Amino acid sequence: MKLVILDYGAGNIQSIKFAIRRLGYEAILTDEVDEILAADKVIFPGVGEASSAMEKLRSSGLDKIIPKLKQPVLGICLGMQLMCNSSEEGNTDGLGIFDLDVVRFPNSVKVPQIGWNQIEGLRSDLFKGIPEKSHIYLVHSFYAPLGADTIAKSEYALNYSAALQKDNFYGVQFHPEKSSDVGSLILENFLETI
């Protein structure tokens, strides 16, 4: 399998590469359009701030390529948020794959949310073998509300989308590469079942 991790300068790349390697796969880190189009599966990571990350995607032309991809694509954390219509973070226009607008958690809770939380309402092969209320690891100040594309939810002051899916596009707000055995199985499902 040809597995590509999008390289746009906004990722926790090493931990994702190690997690994939533990599953017996190798991934290529690239921003080359031909490599991305030829991939069997694409991982769209993201750590950092939405507007600067989106600017990097625009400067490399990846903002035009990503929404047109036909193979399975997995957005992680900021990667998932950038696949939405917009984000309040930096008043940023997103890629418009998921018809949701990312907003900031209310001031009634500690922001960012850092640590372990539960996911439930699981409805996708991405969660094959994952029990309801499994724990996953998150670090985020902004969230995607619940919507038609929500395939898992979590709660922090309110219920929000912990994972999204539309056609061949998948997104997880949490970090599967840091979510122990549960995260490892979710990555394995993406690589082997999706």
Side-chain angles (χ1 to χ4, degrees):
M1 182 194 316
K2 184 172 182 186
L3 178 60
V4 158
I5 299 173
L6 297 181
D7 182 12
Y8 66 109
N12 47 333
I13 305 303
Q14 286 311 118
S15 55
I16 293 172
K17 282 184 93 168
F18 289 143
I20 289 166
R21 192 170 293 147
R22 282 194 299 268
L23 294 170
Y25 295 90
E26 287 295 327
I28 303 162
L29 178 65
T30 186
D31 63 355
E32 294 292 325
V33 172
D34 290 345
E35 292 263 27
I36 295 165
L37 294 176
D40 296 304
K41 301 209 171 155
V42 175
I43 293 179
F44 179 15
V47 170
E49 191 269 333
S51 61
S52 57
M54 200 62 211
E55 188 53 46
K56 288 174 185 170
L57 289 176
R58 282 191 204 98
S59 67
S60 65
L62 290 178
D63 64 318
K64 300 282 191 275
I65 300 298
I66 295 167
K68 295 178 181 170
L69 294 176
K70 302 298 181 204
Q71 66 271 63
V73 178
L74 177 64
I76 297 174
C77 194
L78 181 60
M80 181 193 96
Q81 293 185 0
L82 294 176
M83 293 161 82
C84 295
N85 286 334
S86 69
S87 174
E88 278 186 355
E89 186 176 28
N91 196 22
T92 305
D93 288 334
L95 298 174
I97 294 165
F98 301 122
D99 188 17
L100 290 166
D101 298 304
V102 173
V103 293
R104 192 177 192 279
F105 279 119
N107 292 329
S108 59
V109 291
K110 185 179 175 192
V111 178
Q113 177 187 196
I114 300 176
W116 296 87
N117 204 343
Q118 293 178 314
I119 48 172
E120 56 186 316
L122 312 180
R123 52 179 195 91
S124 167
D125 284 345
L126 194 62
F127 300 110
K128 186 178 173 186
I130 305 287
E132 288 282 329
K133 298 192 181 292
S134 289
H135 284 85
I136 40 78
Y137 187 79
L138 301 123
V139 181
H140 62 130
S141 301
F142 295 80
Y143 69 91
L146 300 179
D149 299 326
T150 301
I151 56 169
K153 64 182 180 178
S154 195
E155 183 182 356
Y156 191 66
L158 40 76
N159 284 312
Y160 65 88
S161 293
L164 297 167
Q165 180 194 344
K166 182 176 184 182
D167 302 325
N168 56 309
F169 293 97
Y170 297 78
V172 292
Q173 180 59 64
F174 52 89
H175 289 277
E177 76 282 6
K178 296 180 181 175
S179 295
S180 193
D181 292 345
V182 168
S184 187
L185 182 52
I186 290 167
L187 281 175
E188 188 175 342
N189 285 341
F190 177 71
L191 296 173
E192 296 184 4
T193 306
I194 302 299

